[in-house]
Amino acid sequence: MKLLTRKIWIVLFFIVLLLGLIGFDIKEKEALPGVVDKPKIFAHRGATDSFNESTITSYKIAAKNGADALELDLRMTEDDVLIIMHDETIDRTTNGKGKVSDLSLKDIKKYETIGNYNGKTTKEAIPTLEELFQTFGDTQRYYIETRLVNGEAMMEKPLVNLLKTYNLLEKEKVAIQSFSEKSLEKMAKLAPDLRLTLLFKKGKFNLKKALSVDYPVIGIESSDVNIKTINALHKQGKEVHVFFYDADTMESEQKKMKALNVDGYFTDNISFTKELLNR
Ligand code: G3P
Ligand code: CA
């Protein structure tokens, strides 16, 4: 009789264990709701499917297409002017060469961005951040990526000064993103009302770290995203914004992100993402 009772207990133990494992598995197969009601669409470097990246025309197209915010990368010239440029050098996107931090604004303005759309070469000036603000003022939202200049947080002060000048120091109009915590910490001191996003490099996402920081938004490359990660961040009330480094898989990756209820998309194709999210 004693042996029978023991056997029953062992069987019960394994049933409970099995149910627990199945239950856990089901939980991780269901995406939790996102933090925002409607996911946001960020025009990644403007409307790069239509015109040269990081140019005023590209941002005008993005604004017309109804992006929720214009995404832009900052670089600082030798004479401390903030320009809109993704790379450390102007080599890839313009007809010039050299590191932005080694060139003055006058040097930068000698060159033009170069693209190729519909078989035609397209050219346009490299814009400063101020020129972007002069173009759009507070009619658009800006999602600005800061970075260190030669290892130092040097662009944050001039950025905040410009935001003040153009009355953009409110969180509804501007959000800041960076891979650099040093830069975000400086921004938090200089402009405590702005929402800050900590970005993680592709292949370097660290969930423990993302959950431990105070920043309300986490930025991840799509190939690092999975349901466990997104659910864990959503449980903590953090928004997740996803960027896409592979143009060939961007659309299929965005479909996957939709199923996970991510909160924001850095997209190279605003119309596609809009249609996807409205479906
Ligand atoms: O800003 C998010 C995303 O844009 C980061 O990637 O390299 O395009 O700036 P990157
Ligand atoms: Ca960026």
Side-chain angles (χ1 to χ4, degrees):
M1 186 65 185
K2 246 187 182 174
L3 190 66
L4 189 65
T5 315
R6 207 172 146 203
K7 272 185 182 165
I8 289 170
W9 274 114
I10 289 171
V11 169
L12 276 175
F13 171 78
F14 279 108
I15 288 172
V16 170
L17 187 70
L18 195 64
L19 284 175
L21 286 174
I22 291 168
F24 181 74
D25 198 37
I26 286 170
K27 212 165 70 190
E28 287 304 336
K29 274 185 183 145
E30 279 173 19
L32 295 176
V35 172
V36 295
D37 292 339
K38 198 164 183 288
K40 304 279 188 314
I41 298 174
F42 311 123
H44 185 229
R45 308 182 200 171
T48 51
D49 56 336
S50 303
F51 199 75
N52 307 7
E53 71 177 60
S54 312
T55 57
I56 299 289
T57 297
S58 190
Y59 288 113
K60 278 185 179 167
I61 299 168
K64 199 169 156 214
N65 289 349
D68 291 303
L70 309 179
E71 193 271 343
L72 58 113
D73 303 278
L74 289 184
R75 293 278 173 186
M76 201 176 199
T77 62
E78 190 191 27
D79 47 348
D80 297 347
V81 180
L82 294 175
I83 66 163
I84 306 175
M85 169 78 50
H86 178 269
D87 298 3
E88 187 177 24
T89 72
I90 63 171
D91 302 9
R92 179 180 60 87
T93 55
T94 79
N95 51 7
K97 275 199 181 310
K99 270 175 89 173
V100 176
S101 59
D102 291 341
L103 297 165
S104 66
L105 182 64
K106 202 171 158 205
D107 295 330
I108 290 280
K109 288 293 186 183
K110 285 181 198 154
Y111 305 113
E112 285 183 303
T113 66
I114 302 283
N116 195 303
Y117 291 86
N118 304 317
K120 284 190 185 145
T121 301
T122 45
K123 294 183 180 182
E124 192 170 298
I126 304 165
T128 63
L129 179 63
E130 180 151 26
E131 286 163 350
L132 188 75
F133 290 163
Q134 282 166 349
T135 305
F136 296 105
D138 64 1
T139 63
Q140 294 297 313
R141 294 193 179 90
Y142 305 94
Y143 202 174
I144 301 173
E145 184 178 339
T146 57
R147 44 173 49 86
L148 301 180
V149 184
N150 298 321
E152 296 302 322
M154 286 164 66
M155 57 171 62
E156 294 70 15
K157 188 89 177 72
L159 168 60
V160 172
N161 288 343
L162 261 188
L163 293 173
K164 271 186 197 150
T165 305
Y166 286 86
N167 294 318
L168 291 167
L169 261 187
E170 51 163 310
K171 57 181 148 195
E172 291 304 312
K173 288 291 168 194
V174 174
I176 305 294
Q177 36 156 346
S178 190
F179 290 103
S180 163
E181 279 194 87
K182 195 168 165 181
S183 174
L184 291 180
E185 281 160 17
K186 189 146 181 196
M187 283 306 300
K189 278 196 194 118
L190 295 172
D193 285 343
L194 296 186
R195 270 170 87 72
L196 304 178
T197 299
L198 178 61
L199 301 169
F200 284 83
K201 298 241 181 236
K202 178 175 178 172
K204 303 274 182 207
F205 181 69
N206 180 333
L207 180 60
K208 210 169 150 195
K209 171 80 183 169
L211 291 170
S212 73
V213 293
D214 275 342
Y215 305 114
V217 189
I218 299 297
I220 317 177
E221 206 278 335
S222 74
S223 56
D224 290 330
V225 167
N226 61 49
I227 190 162
K228 184 172 161 251
T229 298
I230 302 295
N231 279 355
L233 292 166
H234 279 162
K235 255 187 222 165
Q236 214 186 69
K238 287 192 190 298
E239 282 183 42
V240 183
H241 296 173
V242 179
F243 52 99
F244 304 86
Y245 275 168
D246 185 344
D248 295 336
T249 61
M250 191 192 76
E251 293 187 0
S252 58
E253 286 292 289
Q254 290 199 1
K255 286 180 190 163
K256 285 189 212 162
M257 297 306 114
K258 185 185 175 189
L260 299 179
N261 299 325
V262 305
D263 309 278
Y265 297 70
F266 293 95
T267 188
D268 294 334
N269 185 337
I270 297 161
S271 312
F272 172 83
T273 312
K274 253 173 110 171
E275 215 242 295
L276 174 76
L277 298 178
N278 284 334
R279 247 175 238 163

